[in-house]
Amino acid sequence: MFKKETYIERRRSLLAKLSDGIVLLPGNGESPANYPSNPFRFRQDSTFLYFFGLNHPDYVGLLDVDSGEEMLYGDDYTIDDIIWMGPQPSLAEKAQRVGVAHTRPLAQLAKRIEAAVAKGRRIHFLPPYRGETMLMLSRLLGIVPDRLPAYVSVELAKAVVALREIKDADEIAEIEKACEIGSKMHTTAMRMCRPGVVEQEIAGAIESVALQYGAGVSFHSIVSQNGETLHNHYHGNTLLGGKLMLVDAGAETTMNYCSDFTRTIPVSGRFTSKQKDIYDIVLAANARTFELAAPDEFYYRMHNEASLVIAEGLRSLGLMRGDMREAVAVGAQALFMPHGLGHQMGLDVHDMENIGEKYVGYDEETLRSSTPGLSSLRMGKRLREGLVITVEPGIYFIPALIDKWEREGLGGGFIDFAKVREYADFGGIRIEDDMLVTSYGNRLLGNRRPPVTTAEIEAFMGER
Ligand code: GLY
Ligand code: MN
Ligand code: MN
């Protein structure tokens, strides 16, 4: 937990951004995996964590914008709870640690909301993403779950995003810790990767690193020699010499700040020259983003500049042809990189994705484009000091997509399909790092960047 004043200040800033009404910030409950007393790892709601800091199920925060009152609803442990789960400080004690003076049993929340609704007061809430929270809001507000999206508070969504997206020094220190763990996960994968090892063995080992040093992984690890499938969660293949293994994995600290790195390494420990050629293009696109990103630049422009590096690189290898600025303008390179350059990161690996990309990655000034590639970009808006963003260009050879583009005559004449066919079994390469936007431009997050050049990776894998 951060110091008490941090949470007091965050709530004060939130209230200052809202005009009137009541803000309801539900924490998460336990979520059963296969029966109620066998839940998934508990994960607190990130916005609740941001404003109230308490990592415990079944609490609800309430802020009265008009009076400034702050309240935490929740129940203390009964003797039965203590028998099974051990003693806990009372909610009142915990609330004091985050500067909240008032607490009430959860059962009293309904009356409070009922009274506010009867007076015609606005109840601000964010888009719920768990069934249990939807049902709770539905009951409290008398709105059927399907209709809840129509009542989400845009004012609250914008206010929360404006606060959460600018990371302070304490948050950056936590993200750096997450990067440190993430780096260990990737070097562990590099140590273990060799022909004959099953992907699952590596996935298990790197996830144990995440658990050993933090709260676990920040998302399901991708460990695959079929890196052309962007979010490949199948780990059953035996690694083959000559293939590339793509690892996209990150950790959460015990305070739930995240990291997210991708490295693509040769199973045999050495890249072929064909692999090196493609790898160096992706790495140049990653580096180009770090050259350009700075306050007031738009991230969609970074996406386009990284795409241009990819397109130019592919043209130099004969896979694309023509004027590459024109190719990028119509999204022809999206055959090879059908995803966006990055996303915000913080308490969520895709930070605040539950609140709505319209506010997190875009705004009134920047709308999502429909051009291939750019249309998949989660974060397009203007950069500001304090934002944390991933930089994750890639080149993939996706047989089904290549077939479709060729069959349908897509790519605007910029693709040499005959040449592309020579790469049909190449797989995919992604290189992902985490960036902080600073007053002077940006910097890489994490003191120990996992080996990233082909020389660094080969040297690391050679010495293990
Ligand atoms: N971890 C998935 C992603 O890179 O967005
Ligand atoms: Mn990733
Ligand atoms: Mn990412």
Side-chain angles (χ1 to χ4, degrees):
M1 202 182 289
F2 296 125
K3 56 188 186 301
K4 175 195 284 199
E5 290 70 28
T6 298
Y7 300 102
I8 294 173
E9 178 58 25
R10 287 173 178 179
R11 294 190 300 268
R12 197 198 57 74
S13 302
L14 179 64
L15 289 180
K17 286 181 177 294
L18 300 172
S19 46
D20 58 10
I22 283 182
V23 178
L24 207 48
L25 295 171
N28 281 333
E30 295 280 14
S31 186
N34 49 346
Y35 53 90
S37 63
N38 192 29
F40 292 109
R41 168 171 81 94
F42 175 69
R43 181 50 157 85
Q44 184 57 287
D45 174 74
S46 297
T47 300
F48 183 87
L49 269 180
Y50 184 82
F51 290 106
F52 292 98
L54 300 180
N55 195 4
H56 191 274
D58 298 323
Y59 292 159
V60 178
L62 182 147
L63 305 173
D64 188 319
V65 183
D66 303 273
S67 70
E69 181 193 359
E70 302 179 336
M71 181 81 79
L72 269 165
Y73 288 86
D75 297 321
D76 286 327
Y77 270 19
T78 63
I79 184 64
D80 279 344
D81 295 328
I82 291 168
I83 291 169
W84 290 96
M85 293 177 289
Q88 270 277 321
S90 68
L91 175 59
E93 285 170 79
K94 289 188 191 174
Q96 284 202 347
R97 290 181 197 166
V98 292
V100 175
H102 305 288
T103 60
R104 295 277 185 280
L106 199 52
Q108 291 187 18
L109 177 62
K111 263 213 171 80
R112 173 75 191 255
I113 298 297
E114 204 177 294
V117 170
K119 284 190 197 145
R121 301 192 63 197
R122 289 169 71 189
I123 311 291
H124 300 273
F125 63 91
L126 297 172
Y129 54 91
R130 285 198 183 185
E132 295 85 344
T133 313
M134 287 177 202
L135 288 176
M136 183 187 78
L137 288 171
S138 170
R139 272 197 309 273
L140 287 172
L141 302 170
I143 301 168
V144 295
D146 285 354
R147 294 285 300 148
L148 283 170
Y151 293 89
V152 161
S153 169
V154 172
E155 193 183 350
L156 178 63
K158 288 184 176 172
V160 170
V161 170
L163 292 171
R164 277 185 57 189
E165 73 180 356
I166 304 299
K167 274 66 178 178
D168 68 19
D170 289 339
E171 294 182 286
I172 291 161
E174 274 299 308
I175 295 172
E176 299 267 23
K177 275 189 217 163
C179 290
E180 184 90 14
I181 305 169
S183 181
K184 275 200 179 85
M185 292 166 74
H186 281 273
T187 49
T188 298
M190 287 178 193
R191 265 189 210 102
M192 290 180 71
C193 178
R194 49 173 57 77
V197 173
V198 180
E199 294 159 344
Q200 180 73 29
E201 297 172 51
I202 297 177
I206 67 173
E207 297 203 353
S208 98
V209 171
L211 277 169
Q212 193 177 346
Y213 297 100
V217 294
S218 51
F219 59 95
H220 291 303
S221 306
I222 298 161
V223 178
S224 180
Q225 65 182 350
N226 298 319
E228 73 280 8
T229 301
L230 300 184
H231 280 178
N232 196 340
H233 294 131
Y234 178 72
H235 296 149
N237 297 305
T238 302
L239 296 175
L240 297 170
K243 296 279 280 183
L244 293 167
M245 180 179 78
L246 186 150
V247 177
D248 183 351
E252 279 192 11
T253 63
T254 50
M255 286 184 60
N256 300 106
Y257 283 86
C258 300
S259 62
D260 184 5
F261 291 106
T262 309
R263 289 293 182 267
T264 310
I265 61 178
V267 170
S268 59
R270 295 196 73 83
F271 290 92
T272 64
S273 67
K274 191 174 180 182
Q275 288 168 342
K276 245 182 205 163
D277 286 345
I278 299 289
Y279 190 97
D280 284 339
I281 299 170
V282 180
L283 187 57
N286 173 301
R288 181 79 178 132
T289 312
F290 281 92
E291 264 167 46
L292 293 175
D296 278 333
E297 290 289 349
F298 288 87
Y299 206 58
Y300 78 82
R301 198 173 87 75
M302 310 294 99
H303 172 98
N304 279 341
E305 290 297 320
S307 298
L308 185 60
V309 172
I310 283 173
E312 293 284 11
L314 292 173
R315 192 179 59 97
S316 73
L317 296 177
L319 287 95
M320 294 186 74
R321 57 188 173 214
D323 180 321
M324 289 300 101
R325 280 209 178 267
E326 286 173 18
V328 170
V330 298
Q333 84 296 339
L335 172 62
F336 307 101
M337 182 175 130
H339 62 72
L341 183 63
H343 49 84
Q344 293 212 49
M345 190 184 79
L347 278 164
D348 308 298
V349 69
H350 288 182
D351 211 23
M352 300 176 280
E353 198 159 278
N354 59 307
I355 299 179
E357 180 186 274
K358 212 168 137 187
Y359 314 114
V360 180
Y362 293 87
D363 54 17
E364 289 84 359
E365 184 178 41
T366 315
L367 299 176
R368 205 192 247 246
S369 158
S370 58
T371 307
L374 256 189
S375 64
S376 300
L377 180 63
R378 297 177 203 277
M379 164 73 196
K381 71 186 181 185
R382 192 189 283 271
L383 299 179
R384 294 169 58 209
E385 184 181 350
L387 292 187
V388 169
I389 305 168
T390 65
V391 179
E392 47 184 304
I395 295 179
Y396 314 86
F397 295 88
I398 306 171
L401 191 65
I402 296 166
D403 287 347
K404 178 181 156 66
W405 278 44
E406 188 167 23
R407 202 172 51 241
E408 296 178 10
L410 303 177
F414 295 107
I415 311 287
D416 185 330
F417 285 99
K419 186 77 183 167
V420 172
R421 294 259 162 240
E422 295 175 17
Y423 290 75
D425 61 354
F426 184 94
I429 292 176
R430 176 161 67 253
I431 304 172
E432 176 173 26
D433 288 288
D434 303 330
M435 168 197 279
L436 171 67
V437 180
T438 61
S439 60
Y440 55 83
N442 70 76
R443 73 173 175 84
L444 196 71
L445 283 162
N447 292 328
R448 252 181 271 217
R449 190 183 193 194
V452 69
T453 64
T454 56
E456 285 168 359
I457 290 170
E458 288 183 350
F460 187 91
M461 292 180 78
E463 284 164 13
R464 47 193 186 160

